[in-house]
Amino acid sequence: ADEVFTYSEDTMQFVDAAADMFPYMLVNIGSGVSILKVTGDDEFERISGTSLGGGTLWGLLNLLTGVRSFDAMLEMTKTGDNAKVDMMVGDIYGTNYGRIGLKASNIASSMGGVYRKTLDKHFDDSDVARSILYMVSNNIGQIAYLNAQLHGIRHIYFGGYFIRGHPLTMHTLSYAINFWSKGEMRALFLRHEGFLGATGAFFIGERAKPATPDVALGVAPDVSQTLNEDKAPDVRRTRGRTYSFTENFSIAGAIADDAIGSLGMLDREPSKLEPLAQLVNTAKCPYTPDTVDLTHEPRQQEYWISAMQRNTNGLLDLADSGALPGCSDPESRHRLSRFVSLYLTHLHKLQHRPLSYGAMSVRALLGLREQCLHEVGLEDIFAGVKKHETDEALNALPALLHEIDAMNECDRPRVLLQNVLAGNMFDWGATQLRGALAEGSLDLDKARDQITWRPEFDNGADFVARIQQHTYSQAVVFVDNSGADVCLGVLPFVRFLLQQNTRVVLAANSRPALNDVTDRELVDIVRRARVIDPAFRTDMLSVCGTGSSGPCLDLRKLDARLVQTSQNADLVVIVGMGRAIHSNYYARFSCDSLKLAYERAVV
């Protein structure tokens, strides 16, 4: 959702790749232009091209202006006026030529105004630069459109190092496609336009490599197989192409000084990422992970960036107060200061250029925070907090299970759902709750009493009625925080499902994020829960990593092992504000679903 975009009149709009994207046309603009027709993941052919490309612009401007730098040439176009060089429709007819749909401002002849002495046009190098940029871009756009018509293609992607995120170039290509198609087609651009060839060559090379031993970069291997083992197995394993890539913006740069966006580093994810089998993502019902698109919502942008700034500064106060044991030593405290400076710098950049790192969303802001923490070497600043809270919660679990078992069977499901919501309040990512969590003054009973039920969002009664009459075959439960959240909220609910003979897959982050529980930690928690209660001593319960490392969740990008393990699930449960409200609130599934979260703020 943050790779493909349209551009026109200084407006950048991200779009999802169409479900029916094939066939599409890729116009790769370098020194010359190659036009490819792509009909499948590995099916493509070169159908056309032109020698009129970036090299043409570069060569002509060097001859005419003496400028040698391509970026300097693009900079010149910003102040130029092509009407001082080109012959315009208005120069010929004095006004619009409405009978054939031409405006007075349309170009009739590129650089054709120079030799018409009667036009008395005076120009400089910047005007020439703009004229030639329009000439090259307009012709590429027209050639692309004609090829699309010839081959019956509606999706045209432009890439190549010629574009370089340059606003005027993209606007011109967009105008050409819109003009020749009479508004029926749009030019589509790619954030990583200049690296398509390099990326493709890399993937082809990776395919050719034999399977070799590798190290999973700190991510637990198939932890669903470790519940009955004394210790987690070594992460070293043999594999070929079984991984994916994500973009890391903690250190970002631009392809050119005036590029509208920035590019991050590519991080290799140790597992292949695939969509959840039950996720509905079709042309009629497209899946978008983000509930609110902040891209064109200035008020929402201001709110969330300000909230992140306050939350980030608050981490230093927590460290100084001793609430973050992992940041008590001078080196860790120094790294935390570096993180605060790095993340606040990124937030400041996003305040002025919201689309620098792609589409802006709460998920993107939270993910960027985790990337910055990892960049300075702080992998898990809440590790000590999580261990303490988990120990406390597991100590309280036996009494809670006894209390639940003593309840009337009809009341039990509703109370279990209430406990999940109450447990979800134990979130160190919530600035307004940090004080109570640091003091230890919040317990499950107090949390439950603080819940305000909003009927428009509460259909728990429907689920209770459903589960009292129906037994699910398998449930996949995406968990949130460690401590009371997972131990006193989620585990009793999971126990109820197991007692109903429902297989359960617990899905947790593969890497740390705030006080979210990780898959490795969850394996240990389940083992300890098995000592407490026999209901957990079953092979019907498994734990898998999601492949993610943030408080939100993109259900299109999950660890392939989780997708495989939960492929028969007929119930999807998502816990947590980040996973169920900031993301996936509008997600649709091919089976029953339950989204449980404590809402802390409304904008």
Side-chain angles (χ1 to χ4, degrees), residues 358-375:
M360 184 188 288
S361 64
V362 177
R363 177 173 58 95
L365 293 174
L366 292 171
L368 177 60
R369 177 177 61 186
E370 298 307 315
Q371 290 175 347
C372 291
L373 279 168
H374 297 165
E375 178 62 30

Side-chain angles (χ1 to χ4, degrees), residues 140-199:
I140 293 173
Q142 184 177 16
I143 292 170
Y145 169 73
L146 292 174
N147 273 281
Q149 287 292 96
L150 182 63
H151 292 270
I153 297 173
R154 297 196 54 80
H155 306 300
I156 306 176
Y157 294 85
F158 289 90
Y161 207 64
F162 166 75
I163 300 174
R164 297 168 66 76
H166 187 237
L168 188 57
T169 303
M170 292 188 295
H171 172 72
T172 307
L173 290 169
S174 295
Y175 180 85
I177 296 299
N178 181 71
F179 178 84
W180 292 110
S181 71
K182 294 181 171 56
E184 293 185 1
M185 298 172 65
R186 300 178 299 172
L188 300 171
F189 300 96
L190 306 166
R191 287 187 53 250
H192 297 87
E193 64 202 7
F195 301 93
L196 295 182
T199 304

Side-chain angles (χ1 to χ4, degrees), residues 192 199 202-203 244-248 264-269:
H192 297 87
T199 304
F202 173 78
F203 284 129
S244 298
F245 288 89
T246 56
E247 191 166 9
N248 186 332
M265 304 174 291
L266 287 182
D267 283 349
R268 190 178 78 168
E269 300 297 329

Side-chain angles (χ1 to χ4, degrees), residues 186-227:
R186 300 178 299 172
L188 300 171
F189 300 96
L190 306 166
R191 287 187 53 250
H192 297 87
E193 64 202 7
F195 301 93
L196 295 182
T199 304
F202 173 78
F203 284 129
I204 290 175
E206 285 295 297
R207 286 181 185 175
K209 287 183 180 180
T212 56
D214 201 357
V215 177
L217 305 180
V219 177
D222 191 359
V223 293
S224 64
Q225 305 301 319
T226 68
L227 288 175

Side-chain angles (χ1 to χ4, degrees), residues 14-217:
F14 286 94
V15 297
D16 284 324
D20 58 343
M21 62 183 296
F22 297 116
Y24 66 82
M25 198 167 74
L26 174 61
V27 183
N28 197 45
I29 313 172
S31 299
V33 180
S34 284
I35 300 178
L36 305 176
K37 177 183 177 181
V38 183
T39 54
D41 289 331
D42 295 302
E43 301 173 6
F44 60 91
E45 63 175 317
R46 187 181 189 274
I47 57 175
S48 186
T50 173
S51 61
L52 190 71
T56 308
L57 175 73
W58 202 337
L60 286 176
L61 283 181
N62 177 243
L63 288 172
L64 296 174
T65 69
V67 176
R68 298 190 62 84
S69 165
F70 192 75
D71 286 330
M73 293 176 183
L74 293 180
E75 185 67 26
M76 289 171 58
T77 65
K78 291 182 179 179
T79 57
D81 180 2
N82 69 296
K84 295 180 179 180
V85 177
D86 297 336
M87 182 186 298
M88 314 301 287
V89 169
D91 292 332
I92 301 174
Y93 299 104
T95 185
N96 299 333
Y97 194 177
R99 290 179 59 187
I100 57 175
L102 295 177
K103 298 179 181 178
S105 57
N106 288 149
I107 299 172
S109 175
S110 294
M111 303 194 75
V114 175
Y115 72 89
R116 290 278 297 269
K117 294 183 179 180
T118 55
L119 296 178
D120 193 27
K121 295 197 175 191
H122 302 279
F123 53 87
D124 59 24
D125 286 351
S126 65
D127 303 324
V128 173
R130 195 170 184 118
S131 171
I132 294 179
L133 176 66
Y134 279 168
M135 177 184 71
V136 171
S137 299
N138 276 325
N139 274 273
I140 293 173
Q142 184 177 16
I143 292 170
Y145 169 73
L146 292 174
N147 273 281
Q149 287 292 96
L150 182 63
H151 292 270
I153 297 173
R154 297 196 54 80
H155 306 300
I156 306 176
Y157 294 85
F158 289 90
Y161 207 64
F162 166 75
I163 300 174
R164 297 168 66 76
H166 187 237
L168 188 57
T169 303
M170 292 188 295
H171 172 72
T172 307
L173 290 169
S174 295
Y175 180 85
I177 296 299
N178 181 71
F179 178 84
W180 292 110
S181 71
K182 294 181 171 56
E184 293 185 1
M185 298 172 65
R186 300 178 299 172
L188 300 171
F189 300 96
L190 306 166
R191 287 187 53 250
H192 297 87
E193 64 202 7
F195 301 93
L196 295 182
T199 304
F202 173 78
F203 284 129
I204 290 175
E206 285 295 297
R207 286 181 185 175
K209 287 183 180 180
T212 56
D214 201 357
V215 177
L217 305 180

